Amino acid sequence: MRVRSLFSVLLPAPSTASIQERLRASVGALLGLFVTGTVAHLMLGDDAIWLVAPMGASSVLLFCVPASPLAQPWSVIGGNVISALVSAACVRWLGHLLPMPALAAVGTALAIAVMFFTRCLHPPGGAAALTAVIGGPAVHAAGFSFALGPVLVDSVLLVAAAIVYNNLTGRRYPHAQTLSHPNPHATKDEVPTVRLGFKPEDLDAVLRRYGQVLDISRDDLEALFLQTELRAYQRRFGVITCGDIMSRDVVTAEFATPLTEAWHAMRERHIAALPVLNPARRVIGIVTQSDFLKHSGLDDYRGMREKLKEFLKPTGLSHTEKAEVVGQIMTARPRVAQADTPIVDLVPLMADAGLHHIPIVDANERFVGIVTQSDVVAALYEHRLAETTEPA
């Protein structure tokens, strides 16, 4: 029992990464290091050091955890190069005073301190610093050129490969920090989900109090907290899905639907948006009243009636720059949700991102209905009302 308890302390928690994500990261490291090594070899030549060991560790961060603060471009390039420079300086000025073990320790420790100061903390930077000390006569002879040659070249090439590969495989990189919640209406009010519950200032205060390095970006941490709040709400009040509340008899349009037909349909039915479907009933866009106003030049609202009539009137020409059909003014690739998606997942999209209509699709991505802000408000109200009126 004690042995099992010891192992539970020493071993990390099981990884939550899917098989697909593990394969994505492994292939990324394979391609990244191959490209880096090949190009660096061509640039630096056979006789030079063209690939350094710390790049293997950097590839783990760049392709496995590209959202980590330790894996951002400045962290990788600055951390590796600055660390190698610091250790190269230690070798030059302290090499004759300290034995090799002490020199390695001093060089690595100083490199870590400088990485903290320059905001480029990168664990493989410690390996770059150590390599500059124990790399042997060739590295010592290179001196500062070791940092400004293979370390710099390899770091830049590996980061470039990571930018291309991560974005092609659906991972945002570089992972820019989003430290605020912009109001979609450009006002100074906080977005609705921030007005109740914990605020960004609360998270900042806790992080300052924690006072340690976290291998996760602040915005990702905040997003995880918000998702946890939503799951807790769902567990407490039950699950209402989009399929439970969506409108099913929905007026839709096609790409080639004339603007006049779409506008009259919206006016007659008193609706503010039309999902745009292809022949297979898959959502390809959404057109709203705002799209009509924006594309007809009604921003100043002067002569609105005449401008709108002119915008809706077909030209009768086969080729024209004027918008004639819905597909030319719609918002392409709108946000959609599955019929079994809990409605709590729609709250941030509608409350913070300002979406008013979300098309609902089935497991085959075919359109089955639409959920509006009014649907969500009514559902939450009715569910909460039922909770408060249930007999004890």
Side-chain angles (χ1 to χ4, degrees):
M1 193 66 179
R2 289 181 178 178
V3 174
R4 181 179 300 178
S5 177
L6 177 62
F7 272 105
S8 67
V9 172
L10 296 178
L11 292 176
S15 173
T16 58
S18 65
I19 296 297
Q20 292 82 358
E21 176 60 19
R22 298 178 192 187
L23 180 61
R24 188 202 68 83
S26 300
V27 172
L30 168 67
L31 296 176
L33 288 172
F34 175 75
V35 169
T36 298
T38 302
V39 176
H41 192 188
L42 293 174
M43 291 176 61
L44 301 176
D46 293 330
D47 298 331
I49 301 171
W50 47 269
L51 187 63
V52 293
M55 294 306 109
S58 292
S59 70
V60 176
L61 289 169
L62 282 168
F63 297 101
C64 295
V65 284
S68 168
L70 308 179
Q72 299 316 297
W74 170 239
S75 298
V76 178
I77 298 172
N80 284 330
V81 173
I82 289 174
S83 296
L85 286 172
V86 168
S87 271
C90 289
V91 170
R92 171 168 294 188
W93 294 316
L94 300 177
H96 62 288
L97 298 176
L98 298 176
M100 188 63 71
L103 189 61
V106 170
T108 304
L110 286 176
I112 293 172
V114 175
M115 282 192 288
F116 266 119
F117 180 75
T118 53
R119 296 175 58 185
C120 60
L121 189 65
H122 184 60
L130 195 59
T131 303
V133 176
I134 65 173
V139 174
H140 291 169
F144 295 116
S145 297
F146 172 70
L148 300 177
V151 175
L152 176 59
V153 170
D154 289 349
S155 298
V156 170
L157 290 173
L158 193 60
V159 166
I163 291 174
V164 174
Y165 182 80
N166 283 320
N167 284 283
L168 287 177
T169 56
R171 296 293 179 270
R172 177 165 58 96
Y173 184 81
H175 194 84
Q177 295 291 297
T178 54
L179 301 181
S180 61
H181 299 265
N183 192 305
H185 305 296
T187 67
K188 295 181 180 179
D189 290 326
E190 295 176 324
V191 292
T193 57
V194 177
R195 297 173 197 171
L196 297 175
F198 85 88
K199 297 178 178 291
E201 294 80 9
D202 299 327
L203 179 58
D204 292 335
V206 171
L207 290 175
R208 285 194 297 269
R209 187 173 179 180
Y210 183 71
Q212 299 180 35
V213 176
L214 285 178
D215 192 13
I216 182 173
S217 65
R218 181 202 172 281
D219 56 335
D220 280 347
L221 187 61
E222 182 177 347
L224 288 173
F225 283 146
L226 290 173
Q227 289 294 320
T228 303
E229 279 191 336
L230 292 176
R231 296 280 77 76
Y233 179 92
Q234 177 179 310
R235 184 181 66 253
R236 182 179 180 187
F237 295 109
V239 179
I240 305 173
T241 67
C242 293
D244 295 329
I245 68 169
M246 69 183 182
S247 300
R248 299 173 186 272
D249 183 17
V250 181
V251 181
T252 63
E254 297 179 353
F255 186 98
T257 299
L259 294 178
T260 303
E261 181 180 329
W263 177 259
H264 287 315
M266 295 168 68
R267 297 287 291 172
E268 290 172 3
R269 300 294 186 96
H270 303 286
I271 54 180
L274 293 178
V276 183
L277 312 181
N278 65 14
R281 291 192 62 77
R282 290 187 169 87
V283 180
I284 60 172
I286 190 168
V287 61
T288 67
Q289 290 181 352
S290 296
D291 293 321
F292 280 89
L293 297 179
K294 179 176 66 175
H295 287 275
S296 59
L298 296 176
D299 294 344
D300 58 3
Y301 298 101
R302 289 177 295 182
M304 178 182 292
R305 186 180 184 86
E306 291 72 20
K307 285 186 178 181
L308 184 58
K309 287 175 63 176
E310 183 65 25
F311 176 66
L312 296 177
K313 182 180 178 180
T315 62
L317 302 175
S318 59
H319 296 84
T320 174
E321 294 183 359
K322 177 182 175 295
E324 297 276 321
V325 297
V326 164
Q328 294 174 285
I329 69 169
M330 70 180 185
T331 299
R333 297 182 295 277
R335 293 294 295 266
V336 301
Q338 297 281 334
D340 59 357
T341 299
I343 63 171
V344 294
D345 290 354
L346 305 187
V347 171
L349 298 176
M350 291 183 162
D352 296 351
L355 301 183
H356 298 275
H357 311 80
I358 298 182
I360 308 302
V361 298
D362 61 16
N364 296 316
E365 299 297 322
R366 289 187 171 86
F367 177 77
V368 292
I370 193 167
V371 171
T372 67
Q373 285 183 335
S374 299
D375 296 328
V376 173
V377 171
L380 294 175
Y381 171 76
E382 290 293 340
H383 193 268
R384 184 61 174 162
L385 184 64
E387 290 283 337
T388 58
T389 56
E390 284 182 357

Short mmCIF file of all heavy atoms in Angstrom, two decimals, residues 15-32 59 63-64 165-166 169 171:
data_model
loop_
_atom_site.label_atom_id
_atom_site.label_comp_id
_atom_site.label_asym_id
_atom_site.label_seq_id
_atom_site.Cartn_x
_atom_site.Cartn_y
_atom_site.Cartn_z
N SER A 15 -2.54 12.03 -18.59
CA SER A 15 -2.72 13.07 -19.59
C SER A 15 -4.14 13.06 -20.12
O SER A 15 -4.75 12.01 -20.34
CB SER A 15 -1.74 12.86 -20.75
OG SER A 15 -2.00 13.77 -21.79
N THR A 16 -4.71 14.25 -20.32
CA THR A 16 -6.05 14.37 -20.89
C THR A 16 -6.00 14.58 -22.40
O THR A 16 -7.05 14.71 -23.03
CB THR A 16 -6.80 15.56 -20.24
OG1 THR A 16 -6.04 16.77 -20.46
CG2 THR A 16 -6.98 15.34 -18.75
N ALA A 17 -4.80 14.61 -22.97
CA ALA A 17 -4.67 14.82 -24.42
C ALA A 17 -5.21 13.61 -25.17
O ALA A 17 -4.93 12.46 -24.81
CB ALA A 17 -3.21 15.06 -24.78
N SER A 18 -5.96 13.86 -26.23
CA SER A 18 -6.52 12.78 -27.04
C SER A 18 -5.42 12.13 -27.88
O SER A 18 -4.31 12.66 -28.02
CB SER A 18 -7.60 13.33 -27.96
OG SER A 18 -7.04 14.24 -28.90
N ILE A 19 -5.74 10.96 -28.45
CA ILE A 19 -4.80 10.27 -29.32
C ILE A 19 -4.45 11.16 -30.52
O ILE A 19 -3.29 11.24 -30.94
CB ILE A 19 -5.39 8.93 -29.80
CG1 ILE A 19 -5.62 7.98 -28.60
CG2 ILE A 19 -4.47 8.28 -30.83
CD1 ILE A 19 -4.35 7.59 -27.88
N GLN A 20 -5.46 11.85 -31.04
CA GLN A 20 -5.22 12.71 -32.19
C GLN A 20 -4.26 13.85 -31.84
O GLN A 20 -3.38 14.21 -32.63
CB GLN A 20 -6.55 13.31 -32.69
CG GLN A 20 -7.49 12.30 -33.31
CD GLN A 20 -8.29 11.52 -32.28
OE1 GLN A 20 -8.13 11.71 -31.07
NE2 GLN A 20 -9.18 10.66 -32.77
N GLU A 21 -4.42 14.43 -30.62
CA GLU A 21 -3.53 15.51 -30.20
C GLU A 21 -2.11 15.02 -29.98
O GLU A 21 -1.14 15.69 -30.34
CB GLU A 21 -4.07 16.16 -28.94
CG GLU A 21 -3.19 17.25 -28.34
CD GLU A 21 -2.94 18.41 -29.29
OE1 GLU A 21 -3.70 18.59 -30.26
OE2 GLU A 21 -1.98 19.16 -29.04
N ARG A 22 -1.97 13.83 -29.42
CA ARG A 22 -0.63 13.28 -29.22
C ARG A 22 0.06 13.03 -30.57
O ARG A 22 1.26 13.30 -30.73
CB ARG A 22 -0.72 11.98 -28.42
CG ARG A 22 -1.30 12.17 -27.03
CD ARG A 22 -1.42 10.85 -26.30
NE ARG A 22 -2.24 10.99 -25.09
CZ ARG A 22 -2.41 10.05 -24.18
NH1 ARG A 22 -1.84 8.88 -24.32
NH2 ARG A 22 -3.19 10.27 -23.13
N LEU A 23 -0.71 12.50 -31.52
CA LEU A 23 -0.16 12.26 -32.85
C LEU A 23 0.19 13.58 -33.53
O LEU A 23 1.26 13.71 -34.17
CB LEU A 23 -1.17 11.48 -33.70
CG LEU A 23 -0.73 11.13 -35.13
CD1 LEU A 23 0.51 10.24 -35.10
CD2 LEU A 23 -1.86 10.45 -35.89
N ARG A 24 -0.68 14.59 -33.38
CA ARG A 24 -0.43 15.91 -33.98
C ARG A 24 0.88 16.49 -33.45
O ARG A 24 1.70 17.00 -34.22
CB ARG A 24 -1.59 16.85 -33.66
CG ARG A 24 -1.54 18.19 -34.38
CD ARG A 24 -2.36 19.24 -33.65
NE ARG A 24 -1.75 19.60 -32.38
CZ ARG A 24 -0.77 20.49 -32.25
NH1 ARG A 24 -0.30 21.11 -33.30
NH2 ARG A 24 -0.26 20.75 -31.06
N ALA A 25 1.08 16.42 -32.14
CA ALA A 25 2.28 16.99 -31.54
C ALA A 25 3.53 16.23 -31.97
O ALA A 25 4.57 16.84 -32.27
CB ALA A 25 2.15 16.97 -30.02
N SER A 26 3.46 14.91 -32.03
CA SER A 26 4.62 14.10 -32.41
C SER A 26 5.02 14.36 -33.86
O SER A 26 6.21 14.51 -34.17
CB SER A 26 4.31 12.61 -32.20
OG SER A 26 3.99 12.34 -30.85
N VAL A 27 4.03 14.41 -34.74
CA VAL A 27 4.33 14.69 -36.15
C VAL A 27 4.89 16.10 -36.30
O VAL A 27 5.81 16.34 -37.10
CB VAL A 27 3.06 14.51 -37.02
CG1 VAL A 27 3.30 14.99 -38.44
CG2 VAL A 27 2.62 13.05 -37.01
N GLY A 28 4.37 17.04 -35.51
CA GLY A 28 4.89 18.40 -35.55
C GLY A 28 6.36 18.47 -35.18
O GLY A 28 7.15 19.16 -35.84
N ALA A 29 6.74 17.77 -34.11
CA ALA A 29 8.14 17.74 -33.70
C ALA A 29 9.01 17.11 -34.78
O ALA A 29 10.12 17.57 -35.07
CB ALA A 29 8.28 17.00 -32.38
N LEU A 30 8.49 16.03 -35.39
CA LEU A 30 9.23 15.36 -36.46
C LEU A 30 9.50 16.32 -37.62
O LEU A 30 10.65 16.49 -38.06
CB LEU A 30 8.42 14.15 -36.96
CG LEU A 30 8.90 13.50 -38.26
CD1 LEU A 30 10.25 12.84 -38.07
CD2 LEU A 30 7.87 12.49 -38.76
N LEU A 31 8.46 16.97 -38.09
CA LEU A 31 8.61 17.88 -39.22
C LEU A 31 9.43 19.12 -38.85
O LEU A 31 10.27 19.58 -39.63
CB LEU A 31 7.23 18.30 -39.74
CG LEU A 31 6.36 17.18 -40.31
CD1 LEU A 31 4.98 17.71 -40.70
CD2 LEU A 31 7.03 16.53 -41.52
N GLY A 32 9.16 19.66 -37.65
CA GLY A 32 9.86 20.86 -37.22
C GLY A 32 11.36 20.66 -37.12
O GLY A 32 12.16 21.48 -37.60
N SER A 59 11.23 21.70 -29.01
CA SER A 59 10.18 21.13 -29.86
C SER A 59 9.04 20.55 -29.04
O SER A 59 7.88 20.56 -29.47
CB SER A 59 10.76 20.07 -30.80
OG SER A 59 11.16 18.91 -30.08
N PHE A 63 5.34 22.18 -29.92
CA PHE A 63 4.33 21.37 -30.60
C PHE A 63 3.37 20.66 -29.65
O PHE A 63 2.26 20.32 -30.05
CB PHE A 63 5.02 20.35 -31.52
CG PHE A 63 5.82 21.00 -32.61
CD1 PHE A 63 7.20 21.11 -32.51
CD2 PHE A 63 5.20 21.53 -33.72
CE1 PHE A 63 7.95 21.72 -33.49
CE2 PHE A 63 5.94 22.15 -34.72
CZ PHE A 63 7.32 22.24 -34.61
N CYS A 64 3.77 20.45 -28.41
CA CYS A 64 2.87 19.80 -27.44
C CYS A 64 2.05 20.81 -26.65
O CYS A 64 0.86 20.58 -26.41
CB CYS A 64 3.67 18.92 -26.47
SG CYS A 64 4.51 17.54 -27.25
N TYR A 165 2.97 25.02 -38.74
CA TYR A 165 2.34 23.72 -38.45
C TYR A 165 1.19 23.86 -37.47
O TYR A 165 0.12 23.28 -37.68
CB TYR A 165 3.39 22.75 -37.89
CG TYR A 165 2.83 21.37 -37.61
CD1 TYR A 165 2.66 20.45 -38.64
CD2 TYR A 165 2.45 21.01 -36.32
CE1 TYR A 165 2.13 19.19 -38.38
CE2 TYR A 165 1.93 19.75 -36.06
CZ TYR A 165 1.76 18.85 -37.09
OH TYR A 165 1.23 17.61 -36.83
N ASN A 166 1.39 24.60 -36.38
CA ASN A 166 0.33 24.71 -35.38
C ASN A 166 -0.93 25.35 -35.96
O ASN A 166 -2.05 24.91 -35.70
CB ASN A 166 0.82 25.51 -34.17
CG ASN A 166 1.71 24.69 -33.26
OD1 ASN A 166 1.46 23.52 -33.02
ND2 ASN A 166 2.76 25.30 -32.74
N THR A 169 -2.82 23.03 -38.23
CA THR A 169 -3.48 21.92 -37.53
C THR A 169 -4.43 22.40 -36.44
O THR A 169 -4.80 21.63 -35.55
CB THR A 169 -2.43 20.97 -36.92
OG1 THR A 169 -1.55 21.71 -36.05
CG2 THR A 169 -1.61 20.29 -37.99
N ARG A 171 -4.17 24.96 -34.09
CA ARG A 171 -3.71 25.50 -32.81
C ARG A 171 -3.22 26.93 -33.02
O ARG A 171 -2.38 27.18 -33.88
CB ARG A 171 -2.56 24.64 -32.23
CG ARG A 171 -2.96 23.24 -31.89
CD ARG A 171 -3.93 23.21 -30.73
NE ARG A 171 -4.34 21.85 -30.40
CZ ARG A 171 -5.38 21.22 -30.93
NH1 ARG A 171 -6.11 21.85 -31.84
NH2 ARG A 171 -5.67 20.00 -30.58
#
